[in-house]
Amino acid sequence: MDGRSFQFMKVHATWEVLTRYADTLKIRMPIKEIPRDVSALSLWDLMTVQLERLLNPFQLDPHKVPSPKKKYTWPFDRNKMYLYNIPENRDDFMSNATRSRIVDYVLRRKEFSDEGRQFSFGQINAGIRRLIADGTYLAAYPLHEGGWKKKCKMNMRRLLYDNWASWRVWYKVQPLHYIRIYFGEKIGLYFAWLGYYTYALIPASVIGFLVFIFGLVTINSDPISVESCDPSNNYTMCPLCNGRCGYWDYDQICMHVKATHTFDNAATVFFAVFMSLWGTFYLEFWKREQAGIQSLWDLRNFEEEEEPPRPEYLARLANCPKSKPHKVTGAMEPYYPFWGRQVPVYLTSSAIMLFLVLAAVAAVIGIVFYRISVLAALYMIDDPLVYRNATLVVSATAACINLVVIFLLNFVYTRIATCLTDWECLRTQSEHDNSLTFKFYILQFINYYSSLFYIAFFKGRFAGEPAHYVTFFGARQEECQGGSCLTELCIQLAIIFVGKQLIQNNVVDILVPQIKKVFDTLCTRNKEHDRSNLPWVKDYRLEDMGPTGLFNEYLEMMIQFGFVTLFVAAFPLAPFFALLNNIIELRSDADKFVTQYRRRMAARAQDIGIWYDILHGLTRFAVLTNGLIIAFTSSFIQRAVYRFAYSQDGTLNGFVNNSLAYFNISDFPPDVRPYESEIKPQYNATEFCRYPDYREPPWSPDKYKYTSQHWHVVAAQFIFLVVFENLVVVTTSIIAYIIPDVPRKLNEQMRQEAVITNNIILETELLRYKEGSKDATLGENALGNIRSRTGNQYDSGGSGDGDCTHVSKSDSCKDVEEVAV
């Protein structure tokens, strides 16, 4: 393989080792159950059964994938083996994921040298991760359980592929119980969350699609669209650029106004409120779903193990002269001085992070200059098709360029954030992952959303009026066509959101691994035929997920959740496209875990961790952004103020005329006045031009000053924002308070299970006592004597052809016949 020979070592844990460390880790194992009467079904249970029958087409085949039965469990105690439901074949007592977890626990802490300084978990020269970091071993991973193709015998891996990773079952529910058994609780929780998020997108997608259809249906009857597209109104507009742009008619942006109405209509506010409530309902019901999973998977009394230091941390501190006692264990451990090393590193890292944030902002400013220059160039082209759609063309091309810039900055940010986190040299893997998560998400947030924030809240806000335009580095600022930037925000959001999902999620995550897999197969086809079919060789050729694990999968979904919630008022179809992407994402991730990745070491987790806090923060922040979009980006408030305070008939008839101010063309400054060659003949007699703003006309004593209607609109915008924010925040807080994190029925069930478990243990102890407490006591004492006599033998290790952990070793190492566990 690649011109080198490889040696593979298979690590096996004996029954004695498994039970000893299961006792140490207090792993909950199933106990013997006493037959008892089954209670009758309640009315709610009967209704649930009927609902499951309606959803039967989406359920997995119960003959192929049987539903798991709830087992009563108890922390394992090797001194009370009689309590547990141990089958005749003891290898079936623990799942392969549990066996792998125990072996990994041992290998991560086993010393491999008597040299080196002591630390809180033994020596610096300890743990398989340190050996891999030093290059002694190339990899350590548990083996997949057989093949996944049709020609292979049925096994857990093929069961997961046929009923989970295959595209033939894309509409089926996930076999979460089997995912948990095969990959562990941490990966199982990720797919449970992803599946629940996908289900939650269904109602949001339906409502968003209906809002979009409502906008399409009401376009031709909308008074603003009718007035904007009527050429008889003869609204002559002021030039859009200095010098080279002439006057134009307002009906030229008819299509732009109609497109704006598709997303900015009476249903927009309703949808924004709905999505704010949807985010709260989703998070609250996910906590309830997570509580059910924790109960089913025995994660309620979860206690994390004390993490050992990272191998990279130990390698860097190998020659560090300073040490201090560990806060938990009290053992001496090397460390970096706080003021001499950690503070300068953190300050430098923060400065570099600030520079990267400013780089993303600079990229947005560069795209703004592109928009200004290209827009001016398009207006110089004497083609109605070009200058009438100049704004749409510039918005679309700028969004595409921004998407390319985002991908390039992501590439740079990934490398720099990783280097900064490695430079910080954090002690544990959790600290390292949390620091990396913070850096990645901050940089990704700025990278993906900065251009959207610019269009939504800054573009056209400070343009000025024709007599005194505000310039930016000598260039006239961009303005929103038709007085609203909502259409441009929608275009930018759609291109970035859909483009990211199409290019990154589908092309990069699906096609590239497949092409790489085919290329690797062709390169190694003629090498080592005698070993290529061995399972450990096949697994070694698979892709390694790396130390970050599920980090990239979660981060991808967090960015998508931001698109769905933060700017949903401007793009109601965002939940629909997110739903389509997640259906593909879920099955593609399943395929990667089953067929393309090495099997991940089983790890336990109680919840989705820091990602829930990010979801909660985005949901709260989305209330503010959507309120600002409705109040300041859309024309909802302007329409409401006109309709209820200034309209003659209480309708929107005449709204466009009311929203356009008058300007005397004789007041143009010389550098702004259009060239004579750019003025078309029909505009030669023009005395006044119009522009979107609420300002006094030139015949007023306070010409070009803000009118009272402008201040009414501003006051209404802030009043709406305050009312909207407080109403939604109070409503969501009440919803979060009313909905309990743990369902009442589940809470009662858990209490009942605790009582039943205690009763089973007491009854088992009583039966054992009745069968002969004296013999049982003698037997236990004898067994204890045997363990004490053979303890050193088991402590020294064991070997065999097990299937728990698999280590690939380079040929520079000496042959090892057995592994100490």
Side-chain angles (χ1 to χ4, degrees), residues 659-731:
S659 64
L660 298 176
Y662 286 90
F663 182 80
N664 193 325
I665 64 174
S666 62
D667 294 332
F668 271 127
D671 59 335
V672 178
R673 185 186 306 275
Y675 301 147
E676 294 293 335
S677 59
E678 301 298 334
I679 301 177
K680 296 181 180 180
Q682 63 267 31
Y683 301 115
N684 288 332
T686 300
E687 182 180 0
F688 300 100
C689 65
R690 313 289 294 273
Y691 61 99
D693 209 343
Y694 295 103
R695 293 181 181 269
E696 296 289 349
W699 54 82
S700 172
D702 299 323
K703 68 175 184 178
Y704 309 140
K705 299 294 184 181
Y706 284 119
T707 64
S708 60
Q709 185 175 353
H710 167 80
W711 300 112
H712 291 165
V713 169
V714 172
Q717 287 174 330
F718 281 101
I719 291 173
F720 170 83
L721 182 62
V722 172
V723 173
F724 179 85
E725 292 293 314
N726 286 275
L727 179 64
V728 174
V729 169
V730 170
T731 304

Side-chain angles (χ1 to χ4, degrees), residues 380-407:
M380 295 172 59
I381 301 175
D382 191 15
D383 186 345
L385 183 63
V386 174
Y387 66 71
R388 288 183 180 180
N389 299 285
T391 303
L392 293 177
V393 172
V394 170
S395 298
T397 55
C400 293
I401 294 174
N402 189 33
L403 181 63
V404 175
V405 172
I406 285 174
F407 287 148

Side-chain angles (χ1 to χ4, degrees), residues 532-785:
S532 60
N533 290 326
L534 296 175
W536 42 87
V537 178
K538 290 182 178 180
D539 285 6
Y540 179 71
R541 289 174 177 168
L542 297 178
E543 186 177 352
D544 184 19
M545 285 188 64
T548 55
L550 295 168
F551 172 80
N552 291 326
E553 313 297 336
Y554 273 116
L555 180 63
E556 184 179 313
M557 289 296 104
M558 295 302 115
I559 297 297
Q560 184 201 90
F561 190 81
F563 281 121
V564 169
T565 55
L566 294 179
F567 305 97
V568 72
F571 189 43
L573 293 179
F576 176 73
F577 286 109
L579 175 63
L580 296 181
N581 174 79
N582 285 8
I583 294 174
I584 299 174
E585 179 75 17
L586 195 149
R587 301 301 166 179
S588 64
D589 282 351
D591 180 78
K592 287 189 295 186
F593 274 86
V594 175
T595 67
Q596 300 177 27
Y597 285 152
R598 293 175 190 164
R599 189 176 179 183
R600 186 75 176 173
M601 191 67 67
R604 286 172 61 83
Q606 190 175 22
D607 47 38
I608 61 175
I610 192 176
W611 302 108
Y612 179 84
D613 298 328
I614 294 177
L615 290 172
H616 185 267
L618 283 174
T619 303
R620 294 298 184 184
F621 189 47
V623 178
L624 175 62
T625 56
N626 284 293
L628 289 171
I629 289 173
I630 295 172
F632 296 97
T633 307
S634 73
S635 60
F636 172 78
I637 300 299
Q638 291 92 321
R639 296 196 305 265
V641 171
Y642 173 79
R643 183 173 183 177
F644 295 107
Y646 294 92
S647 176
Q648 299 296 327
D649 54 1
T651 66
L652 291 176
N653 294 326
F655 171 78
V656 176
N657 184 45
N658 175 266
S659 64
L660 298 176
Y662 286 90
F663 182 80
N664 193 325
I665 64 174
S666 62
D667 294 332
F668 271 127
D671 59 335
V672 178
R673 185 186 306 275
Y675 301 147
E676 294 293 335
S677 59
E678 301 298 334
I679 301 177
K680 296 181 180 180
Q682 63 267 31
Y683 301 115
N684 288 332
T686 300
E687 182 180 0
F688 300 100
C689 65
R690 313 289 294 273
Y691 61 99
D693 209 343
Y694 295 103
R695 293 181 181 269
E696 296 289 349
W699 54 82
S700 172
D702 299 323
K703 68 175 184 178
Y704 309 140
K705 299 294 184 181
Y706 284 119
T707 64
S708 60
Q709 185 175 353
H710 167 80
W711 300 112
H712 291 165
V713 169
V714 172
Q717 287 174 330
F718 281 101
I719 291 173
F720 170 83
L721 182 62
V722 172
V723 173
F724 179 85
E725 292 293 314
N726 286 275
L727 179 64
V728 174
V729 169
V730 170
T731 304
T732 54
S733 300
I734 293 175
I735 292 173
Y737 176 78
I738 292 176
I739 300 176
D741 294 347
V742 180
R744 180 183 59 82
K745 187 175 181 61
L746 178 60
N747 195 20
E748 294 176 354
Q749 181 181 342
M750 290 190 298
R751 293 167 60 188
Q752 183 182 16
E753 288 176 1
V755 173
I756 293 175
T757 301
N758 288 329
N759 290 339
I760 290 175
I761 293 176
L762 291 175
E763 292 175 10
T764 304
E765 294 278 10
L766 182 60
L767 289 175
R768 180 176 174 78
Y769 177 78
K770 290 181 179 180
E771 289 175 358
S773 58
K774 183 177 180 180
D775 294 339
T777 304
L778 291 175
E780 284 298 309
N781 292 336
L783 182 59
N785 293 333

Side-chain angles (χ1 to χ4, degrees), residues 246-258:
Y247 305 107
W248 55 284
D249 291 331
Y250 192 81
D251 63 282
Q252 293 179 5
I253 62 171
C254 173
M255 295 303 298
H256 178 89
V257 174
K258 289 185 175 181

